[in-house]
Amino acid sequence: MRFAFVLVNDRIPFRRIGCMQCSEPVSDSYLREIATGLRYCDHQCYALFCEVLAKDRVRAAS
Ligand SMILES: [Zn+2]
């Protein structure tokens, strides 16, 4: 028998998922990109991460 979902009471496994940009564990209020589900401390880290991705793309293209 397979369960369609898991009920998680322990929040620690989620807390261990850090910010994509600075790797700091995210707090109760964090920014989550809907499309990717990735977490960031705030919009600043998100913007920085997007910048890095954009630079990587430019580097890969040239
Ligand atoms: Zn961060």
Side-chain angles (χ1 to χ4, degrees):
M1 182 181 170
R2 302 188 90 199
F3 293 101
F5 61 91
V6 254
L7 183 66
V8 182
N9 293 316
D10 192 359
R11 289 174 119 202
I12 289 169
F14 292 102
R15 292 268 190 141
R16 280 168 59 193
I17 302 169
C19 170
M20 284 302 294
Q21 167 58 24
C22 65
S23 300
E24 290 291 324
V26 291
S27 62
D28 282 340
S29 62
Y30 62 89
L31 192 146
R32 184 176 163 194
E33 191 178 24
I34 305 292
T36 58
L38 299 176
R39 290 149 197 249
Y40 309 88
C41 307
D42 48 31
H43 67 275
Q44 246 180 323
C45 275
Y46 176 66
L48 273 170
F49 190 74
C50 288
E51 230 172 82
V52 170
L53 281 186
K55 277 180 193 156
D56 278 353
R57 268 184 218 124
V58 170
R59 234 179 274 141
S62 56

